[in-house]
Amino acid sequence: MRSGEEAQKGFPNIANPGKATLLALGKAFPHQLVMQEFLVDGFFKNTNCDDSDLRKKLSRLCNTMNFLILLSLCFTYDSLPSKDCLRPTVKQRLDICNDAVTEMAIEASRVCIKQWARPISDITHLVYVSSSEARVPGGDLFLAKGLGLSPETQRVMLYFMGCSGGVAGLRVAKDIAENNPGSRILLANSETTIIGFKPPSADRPYDLVGAALFGDGAGAMIIGSGPVLRLERPLFELHTAIQNFLPNTEKIIDGKLTEEGISFKLARELPQIIEDNVESFCEKLMGTVGLTDEDYNKMFWAVHPGGPAILNRIEKRLDLFPEKLNASRRALMDYGYASRN
C-alpha cells in the first residue's frame, strides 16, 4: 500500500492506471465509551463477580495495554435478557448485534461518503465484513437499505473471517475495482464484543485478555481505480495483495460459535509465531515492488494492531524505528482492538 508521502521517496504522486486506490475513509463507534481506568470495576460489578485474583489479573492486563479509552459498548450488560443474565443465548446476543453493527456501519459509511464528495448513486459495489452478526438476508442488504444504495448495487458479504476479515475485504474490493473499470466500491466493516461477552471465570483466564483489549467500532472506505481528476483525491494505492497461511497453526487463534456466543482462545505462543514468520512474509511482499529490508524504515507502516506484544515483536524482528508503528499503537491506544477494523 503506497501513500502520498512516498512520492518524495521515488514513488509516483499520481495513481497508476488500472490500480485500485483508496479514495475516502470513515469510522464510527458506539456513543457509550468506557475509560479503561474504570473498566475493571465496571466489568466485575456488572457481572456480579467478586474473584479478587481475577480482578488483579485484569488490572495487570489493563496496565500493560495502556489504552486511553476502550470503545464499548453497544449495550448495557443487563440488556442481555435471560433467566441467568450472565449467560445469554446466541439469539439474545444477535437480537442486539444485528442492529448495532448495522447502525455503526451506516454511520461510518456516511462519514466516508461525505469525505468522498461524490453522489451515493455512483457506488457500484458493496463489500461488507462482520463476525458479529448472522442472519439471512445478510447484513449487506440492511446496510445498503440503510444508506439508500441503488437496488442494482452489487453486494458481497464476508462473514466470520476472524481477525483477517478487514484485509480480506480490502483484497476483494481491490480485485473488483481493477476488473471493473469505473466501478466504485464501498467497503465497510463493523464489529461488537456483544457476541462473545462472558463474565470472568477462573476456568477461562484467557477471556480477560479480550476484556482488556477488545472494543467496538466500524470502518468504511471507498475504493476504485482511475480517480476522476478534480473530483477525487486518492489517499493510498492498493498495489499488491498476498496471503500466506502457516501450516498447523489453525488452533493458535481458536474461535468457536457455541450456545453462549463466540468463544476465542489465543495461544500464548502467538506473538512468537508472528515474530518468527513476519520477516519472510515481508520480504516476499516488498519484493513485488523491488524493495528490500533496507527500505523498511523509509516506509509508512499500518500494521494490524492485534495487541502490544505483537507490535513489539514485529518492531524487534524487522528492526524498525520506534516511530514506525506509531499509527498502529495510536489506534490501539485510542480505540482498543476493534477487531477486523
Side-chain angles (χ1 to χ4, degrees):
M1 185 180 287
R2 296 177 179 175
S3 72
E5 296 177 4
E6 286 151 2
Q8 302 173 9
K9 302 172 183 176
F11 290 110
N13 58 5
I14 58 174
N16 285 313
K19 283 291 186 181
T21 56
L22 196 161
L23 301 171
L25 288 165
K27 60 181 181 292
F29 301 97
H31 295 212
Q32 178 181 344
L33 309 182
V34 179
M35 304 297 291
Q36 196 175 58
E37 60 184 295
F38 303 118
L39 172 65
V40 177
D41 289 341
F43 183 61
F44 280 83
K45 179 181 178 181
N46 287 320
T47 56
N48 297 316
C49 180
D50 58 2
D51 189 312
S52 59
D53 289 337
L54 291 176
R55 178 185 286 270
K56 290 176 182 177
K57 288 181 180 179
L58 184 56
S59 295
R60 287 197 299 270
L61 282 169
C62 288
N63 290 334
T64 301
M65 302 298 180
N66 192 31
F67 296 161
L68 294 177
I69 56 177
L70 182 70
L71 270 293
S72 216
L73 299 154
C74 295
F75 72 115
T76 56
Y77 300 133
D78 58 6
S79 68
L80 288 170
S82 75
K83 292 181 180 179
D84 177 359
C85 69
L86 299 184
R87 295 187 180 274
T89 65
V90 170
K91 179 184 182 304
Q92 291 163 340
R93 296 171 187 271
L94 289 177
D95 285 344
I96 300 173
C97 290
N98 289 341
D99 290 339
V101 293
T102 301
E103 289 172 6
M104 285 194 295
I106 289 173
E107 184 177 344
S109 297
R110 284 175 174 164
V111 172
C112 181
I113 293 167
K114 182 178 180 180
Q115 182 190 104
W116 180 43
R118 285 183 60 178
I120 194 171
S121 57
D122 288 350
I123 294 174
T124 59
H125 296 73
L126 171 65
V127 178
Y128 182 43
V129 185
S130 182
S131 294
S132 300
E133 63 155 85
R135 51 184 161 173
V136 177
D140 57 316
L141 177 62
F142 295 98
L143 174 56
K145 181 180 178 181
L147 289 171
L149 296 182
S150 166
E152 297 179 355
T153 302
Q154 299 183 53
R155 309 187 315 273
V156 176
M157 179 78 221
L158 299 179
Y159 269 139
F160 294 103
M161 294 289 292
C163 298
S164 65
V167 177
L170 276 171
R171 191 174 66 245
V172 171
K174 170 181 166 64
D175 286 346
I176 293 173
E178 294 178 354
N179 286 283
N180 296 270
S183 62
R184 290 298 179 265
I185 302 92
L186 172 63
L187 168 62
N189 186 181
S190 188
E191 305 291 355
T192 173
T193 56
I194 302 170
I195 194 67
F197 170 78
K198 292 179 179 64
S201 170
D203 296 329
R204 301 188 312 273
Y206 38 82
D207 283 356
L208 296 178
V209 176
L213 182 63
F214 282 83
D216 302 342
M221 58 181 65
I222 300 289
I223 293 171
S225 63
V228 179
L229 296 179
R230 295 182 297 278
L231 287 180
E232 296 175 314
R233 184 173 65 89
L235 305 174
F236 293 91
E237 177 184 297
L238 302 178
H239 186 279
T240 303
I242 67 172
Q243 183 175 15
N244 183 33
F245 174 72
L246 300 176
N248 303 316
T249 60
E250 58 269 18
K251 294 298 182 181
I252 298 301
I253 303 177
D254 190 20
K256 290 183 172 62
L257 184 60
T258 70
E259 293 82 356
E260 297 176 359
I262 292 180
S263 297
F264 282 105
K265 185 175 182 180
L266 308 179
R268 290 180 178 272
E269 58 267 34
L270 175 61
Q272 186 63 55
I273 290 173
I274 292 174
E275 180 182 349
D276 291 343
N277 292 276
V278 69
E279 189 170 14
S280 59
F281 180 82
C282 286
E283 287 175 355
K284 182 177 181 180
L285 176 62
M286 303 309 174
T288 63
V289 289
L291 301 177
T292 70
D293 58 352
E294 295 180 356
D295 298 298
Y296 286 169
N297 281 304
K298 302 175 185 177
M299 301 172 61
F300 169 76
W301 290 77
V303 177
H304 182 65
I310 290 174
L311 295 178
N312 292 342
R313 296 297 186 100
I314 292 174
E315 181 182 293
K316 172 186 174 184
R317 178 51 63 101
L318 300 181
D319 198 23
L320 298 177
F321 297 153
E323 66 273 14
K324 285 294 152 182
L325 298 186
N326 278 355
S328 299
R329 294 189 189 279
R330 186 58 189 265
L332 194 61
M333 180 179 292
D334 287 354
Y335 307 119
Y337 175 53
S339 196
R340 284 137 287 280
N341 291 301

